[in-house]
Amino acid sequence: MENSSQESHLRSANSVTYDSSYPIYAMAFSSFNSSLTNRCRRLAVGSFIEEFNNRVDILSFDEDTLTLKPVPNLSFEHPYPPTKLMFHPNPSASLKTNDILASSGDYLRLWDVTDTSIEPLFTLSNNKTSEYCAPLTSFDWNEVEPRRIGTSSIDTTCTIWDVEKGVVETQLIAHDKEVYDIAWGEAGVFASVSADGSVRIFDLRDKEHSTIIYESPKPDTPLLRLAWNKQDLRYMATILMDSNKIVILDIRSPAMPVAELDRHQASVNAIAWAPQSCRHICSAGDDGQALIWELPTVAGPNGIDPMSVYSAGAEINQIQWSAAHRDWIAIAFSNKLQLLKV
């Protein structure tokens, strides 16, 4: 971990930038090990163009030469901007011979990624009655049970897919308003956040009930993003619309946050827990800053200061901190993807 006194060093020697020809929003790291890409790692980036025709590019990151460039033939057209991209969380354990990428937008789509081509595998829709579909705001791929992907939608539902069979396992009316994000905790337990201002936990063994563990202090203030701490499942983080705070929750003590991180100067847009530590989280926002925080065992009366500050110089829309590449944080701002060494 770098500290804030090394901010300028972090900016020059320890960052790699990719300039796209379009604004970037969705992005994902791959954990797939390919014979051709054993030294290079893949990332997927999605365009954010406010029209039907968008695209996804696969980039190759060489950590030795610190180069980040698109892979020939590994890009494809995507209907509407992808709201999220994720690679298969554990392809080797699932005996996958190719990498698999999932994307959300109008539907949930799965793509087969080889070293030389990308082919569509599934387009998954649970809409039986109408030609129109409710857009998907986000999804999460279950690391413990990789056949499961959960999606969240503006139609108030969360849908659990068995992506190996291409069928719906279950669909739940999760909230009173649009659902903006979803995160798995265990094989059969997920949580979601919504425009109704609540964080709710669902257990697939008891689909009739959910547990509300947090509600916005101001009624009907939407919660936009949810991150579940994979290193310590007692902890979650969420962000409120138009707020500079990251709210840290302990599911053992609902309603009262264990910490509120409020050092951003503008709205927070994205949060990601460290994949290798239960006490570190990264946030990014409209102030153009990516902050790394170390959560103390007990918060002091004056709040918590970030341990590391990175200034991008433009509003940061997205961050990813991957278990496959735990030394690098990816941020997206404007038409740039930047990898930061931590």
Side-chain angles (χ1 to χ4, degrees):
M1 296 283 176
E2 305 281 350
N3 62 38
S4 54
S5 65
Q6 294 173 302
E7 178 188 345
S8 58
H9 174 67
L10 202 163
R11 183 178 299 146
S12 53
N14 287 0
S15 68
V16 187
T17 305
Y18 168 72
D19 284 283
S20 173
S21 55
Y22 46 73
I24 292 172
Y25 178 68
M27 56 184 182
F29 282 100
S30 169
S31 57
F32 190 75
N33 284 316
S34 156
S35 57
L36 292 180
T37 57
N38 52 2
R39 278 192 322 116
C40 299
R41 295 296 190 169
R42 286 180 180 149
L43 293 93
V45 293
S47 65
F48 190 88
I49 306 164
E50 294 189 41
E51 54 189 54
F52 180 79
N53 293 320
N54 277 260
R55 66 182 306 101
V56 173
D57 291 326
I58 306 296
L59 310 179
S60 172
F61 172 50
D62 188 326
E63 202 167 344
D64 295 337
T65 61
L66 295 182
T67 53
L68 188 57
K69 55 192 178 186
V71 182
N73 302 323
L74 294 192
S75 71
F76 57 93
E77 299 285 325
H78 193 278
Y80 303 103
T83 53
K84 188 167 182 178
L85 296 169
M86 263 187 102
F87 283 97
H88 192 293
N90 200 350
S92 54
S94 300
L95 304 178
K96 302 295 182 189
T97 53
N98 294 330
D99 213 351
I100 299 179
L101 177 68
S103 66
S104 55
D106 51 353
Y107 301 114
L108 177 66
R109 290 178 162 85
L110 269 70
W111 312 82
D112 187 60
V113 184
T114 72
D115 290 326
T116 55
S117 67
I118 294 182
E119 299 295 335
L121 281 175
F122 287 122
T123 298
L124 301 174
S125 168
N126 195 29
N127 196 3
K128 307 283 192 297
T129 57
S130 167
E131 61 183 296
Y132 301 107
C133 57
L136 301 178
T137 52
S138 187
F139 70 94
D140 195 24
W141 206 323
N142 194 317
E143 292 179 20
V144 185
E145 188 73 84
R147 66 183 176 84
R148 281 182 174 151
I149 288 181
T151 61
S152 55
S153 172
I154 65 167
D155 68 2
T156 76
T157 67
C158 290
T159 303
I160 309 304
W161 290 91
D162 182 326
V163 294
E164 292 184 355
K165 296 178 181 174
V167 298
V168 171
E169 188 175 329
T170 191
Q171 185 174 47
L172 305 169
I173 296 175
H175 289 266
D176 302 326
K177 294 184 177 179
E178 299 95 326
V179 190
Y180 286 140
D181 205 4
I182 182 172
W184 289 102
E186 303 167 41
V189 179
F190 69 90
S192 57
V193 292
S194 162
D196 65 16
S198 67
V199 179
R200 303 187 188 198
I201 296 180
F202 297 84
D203 190 324
L204 295 179
R205 294 165 297 189
D206 181 11
K207 300 180 186 123
E208 302 301 313
H209 301 96
S210 65
T211 304
I212 297 177
I213 62 160
Y214 178 74
E215 291 184 287
S216 301
K218 294 179 184 169
D220 285 342
T221 300
L223 301 177
L224 300 182
R225 289 284 166 258
L226 179 68
W228 204 326
N229 188 334
K230 294 295 195 285
Q231 298 300 313
D232 188 338
L233 291 171
R234 295 173 297 179
Y235 295 103
M236 293 180 181
T238 186
I239 55 177
L240 293 83
M241 180 179 277
D242 300 326
S243 168
N244 73 329
K245 289 182 181 177
I246 302 101
V247 179
I248 308 296
L249 305 171
D250 182 336
I251 64 174
R252 299 167 301 176
S253 54
M256 273 303 293
V258 290
E260 291 188 340
L261 313 177
D262 60 0
R263 298 300 193 255
H264 276 282
Q265 304 301 308
S267 299
V268 180
N269 295 325
I271 43 176
W273 289 98
Q276 74 278 40
S277 160
C278 64
R279 293 178 57 207
H280 294 89
I281 189 169
C282 184
S283 61
D286 281 351
D287 56 3
Q289 293 193 320
L291 308 180
I292 296 177
W293 313 77
E294 181 174 13
L295 300 178
T297 44
V298 179
N302 300 319
I304 301 167
D305 289 322
M307 61 176 287
S308 179
V309 180
Y310 176 80
S311 296
E315 297 175 357
I316 302 174
N317 299 313
Q318 183 70 272
I319 49 177
Q320 293 289 325
W321 200 347
S322 164
H325 318 277
R326 54 184 58 178
D327 295 335
W328 296 89
I329 293 175
I331 62 173
F333 55 96
S334 183
N335 66 330
K336 292 178 169 54
L337 179 147
Q338 205 161 57
L339 294 178
L340 310 175
K341 186 82 178 277
V342 293

